[in-house]
Amino acid sequence: MSNVLVLKSSISGNNSQTNQLVDYAVEKLQGNNIIVRDLSQQPLPYFDTAATIAVRGEPKNDEEKQLLALSDELVSELKNAKTLVIGAPMYNLGIPTQLKTYFDFIARPRVTFQYTAGPEELLKGKKAIVLCAFGGLYDEENLVTQYMKSILGFIGITDVQFVYAQGIGFGPEAIEKAQASAKNKINEIVAAL
Ligand SMILES: Cc1cc2nc3c(=O)[nH]c(=O)nc-3n(C[C@H](O)[C@H](O)[C@H](O)COP(=O)(O)O)c2cc1C
């Protein structure tokens, strides 16, 4: 049994393709200690000046102190996890605002990353499974894949596997195929964990 942190970020409600994949992965990972954070249903606060002071400066007032406490909670959850499962839909070429905000709250100098000559990553030894859904068809150069690889690498998570449900905009048949092939891939990844 190990600790799994699951992040959902879709804004598509019951029609969400990534949430379907995340739920499938969670089912396959039963028996582990799983924490699920739905960043769309329970959104984090907007990452603004107070939040920046909280996580990168010296929090002084109550608002800043509360934002630091929230960031501490997220970082502690992340540090405790051995495996991350992240739903990462493509919206307007990038990741959802909700997921970007999560990374804004957990990217902490000297806590989750460190600048020396370059960023020295502090969260080594974890695995991440990123479950993507795209309306169209993309190669690995797409911005969701590139950003997720970069931000996870920045904090030391370099063992990252991507699962894609692509062509969601092409209709029900394409969705069915994309879901089936993504679920097969999830089976393979979970079996090899
Ligand atoms: C606001 C919005 C923007 C989108 N932008 C893109 C896009 O830039 N490229 C693309 O291929 N699909 C785009 N799509 C389609 C989604 O990637 C697709 O619906 C996918 O299933 C989203 O994941 P979800 O169902 O888990 O929310 C967009 C969908 C929405 C709602």
Side-chain angles (χ1 to χ4, degrees):
M1 186 165 112
S2 76
N3 293 342
V4 179
L5 175 60
V6 175
L7 302 175
K8 291 181 166 181
S9 65
S10 171
I11 55 170
S12 303
N14 291 337
N15 294 324
S16 168
Q17 302 300 317
T18 54
N19 283 356
Q20 273 190 56
L21 296 179
V22 169
D23 291 343
Y24 185 80
V26 166
E27 200 184 298
K28 296 288 153 191
L29 287 162
Q30 283 309 313
N32 291 289
N33 182 28
I34 302 175
I35 293 181
V36 180
R37 265 201 187 260
D38 189 327
L39 301 166
S40 175
Q41 293 297 310
Q42 285 90 38
L44 297 170
Y46 196 73
F47 194 80
D48 58 6
T49 305
T52 306
I53 292 168
V55 305
R56 293 183 183 233
E58 285 180 31
K60 291 199 175 65
N61 63 36
D62 283 353
E63 185 194 5
E64 291 158 6
K65 285 178 187 163
Q66 275 170 21
L67 289 165
L68 177 60
L70 171 63
S71 172
D72 283 345
E73 184 190 339
L74 296 173
V75 167
S76 144
E77 230 171 55
L78 179 60
K79 282 189 167 170
N80 285 335
K82 177 81 185 141
T83 307
L84 306 182
V85 175
I86 307 174
M90 178 184 284
Y91 299 143
N92 298 317
L93 303 179
I95 63 166
T97 308
Q98 289 81 355
L99 185 55
K100 173 63 166 53
T101 300
Y102 175 85
F103 289 119
D104 291 334
F105 271 102
I106 61 89
R108 298 255 304 267
R110 295 169 302 282
V111 178
T112 55
F113 76 90
Q114 189 159 293
Y115 284 111
T116 45
E120 182 186 312
E121 317 88 356
L122 297 180
L123 293 180
K124 292 186 194 294
K126 302 183 190 303
K127 284 178 192 288
I129 307 167
V130 180
L131 309 174
C132 301
F134 305 157
L137 301 172
Y138 297 84
D139 63 22
E140 297 253 317
E141 297 305 308
N142 74 80
L143 296 177
V144 171
T145 303
Q146 292 306 312
Y147 178 77
M148 290 302 293
K149 247 187 215 167
S150 300
I151 189 71
L152 291 170
F154 187 63
I155 57 175
I157 304 173
T158 50
D159 185 346
V160 185
Q161 303 202 64
F162 285 85
V163 175
Y164 297 101
Q166 299 215 50
I168 296 307
F170 300 154
E173 214 173 292
I175 294 176
E176 206 175 301
K177 269 192 193 156
Q179 280 284 333
S181 111
K183 284 174 183 164
N184 278 338
K185 179 83 180 165
I186 291 170
N187 290 341
E188 280 171 27
I189 294 173
V190 171
L193 277 178

